Amino acid sequence: MDKKYGLIIDITRCNGCYNCFLSCRDEHCGNDYPGYAASQPYSGHFWMKVNEKERGQYPKVKVAYTPIPCMHCERPSCANGSMNNAVYRRPDGIVIIDPVKAVGEKEIVSACPYRVIYWNEEKKLPQKCTLCAHLLDQGWKEPRCVEACPTGALIFGDVNDPNSEISKVIARSKDKLEDLHSEYGLGPNVRYIGLPKRFIAGEVVFKDRKDECAEGVKVTLLGKGKKEVKSVLTDNYGEFEFEGLDADKQFTVLVEHAGYTAKKIKTTTKIDTYLGEIVLNRKA
Ligand code: SF4
Ligand code: SF4
């Protein structure tokens, strides 16, 4: 079977080191690759953009890093925005903006709803991630950004080869794979694991034992119709967290422990929610 390239970005492994962004710059700034891409300017372009999103409120704050390159779509809308076949999809799935034919075609930039095409004012050229096709065609196994990632958050390969690492990840993580902005309907070949959603978190304390951490308390998340969504035990700090919840939903958090009166707290996922201290009273 012919090669078909894909990239999986596992957000749960990304620690925001920016090595992907920097290695992309190192490969493309000041370097022309005829037929693939003209050189990337030294500022203003983010062919691999790392979006930083702060989540939650003090004292429960997290940062989610989402690296965003071109999605190398099955149905690339950037190609529809171009003339003279200046943007085309190769048989291996890589979408290329021809660095000669696309000169002057600024409308290509706005044809991508992901906003991953950048305008090179000096060269009058739209430019974006090439999936390092110039390297792959020379026999490289992976693009520069994938090679540079120290945490294994970027997994690249031939999705038509059942023995490739990416195929194995797809097979074991099928239910976790997501598209960024699936509503665009472009069939991205860059897919994600762990895109930031919403969390509900809190800390349980026993009123009569405030100097101890309330470890091992059962906390249940109830959804619509009081249906159980998930259940966890508090950790050794008495804390709990439900992660990966859909936004704008209503939930009830039920806290139960033998010998103590159970507590129910109604909440929503309009934002990431920290419920603070939940105090359990000993039964009379
Ligand atoms: S992400 Fe945008 S630039 Fe990349 S292939 Fe899809 S439509 Fe084209
Ligand atoms: S695949 Fe290559 S061009 Fe695309 S973001 Fe990674 S280093 Fe840059």
Side-chain angles (χ1 to χ4, degrees), residues 24 28 47-48 69 129-132 143-145:
C24 181
H28 291 275
W47 294 10
M48 177 62 93
C129 159
T130 59
L131 217 52
C132 287
R144 283 289 307 273
C145 54

Side-chain angles (χ1 to χ4, degrees), residues 70-73 76-78 95 112 114 116-117 128 186:
C70 164
M71 301 287 138
H72 296 278
C73 305
S77 61
C78 53
V95 176
C112 169
Y114 287 101
V116 292
I117 305 179
K128 67 167 189 69
L186 301 182

Side-chain angles (χ1 to χ4, degrees), residues 70-87:
C70 164
M71 301 287 138
H72 296 278
C73 305
E74 293 284 317
R75 299 172 289 283
S77 61
C78 53
N80 300 335
S82 70
M83 295 177 293
N84 319 322
N85 294 324
V87 183

Side-chain angles (χ1 to χ4, degrees), residues 225-242:
K226 300 280 178 280
K227 204 171 159 209
E228 181 174 329
V229 178
K230 281 180 194 175
S231 179
V232 294
L233 296 178
T234 53
D235 63 16
N236 52 358
Y237 297 105
E239 292 176 349
F240 67 89
E241 180 185 282
F242 298 105

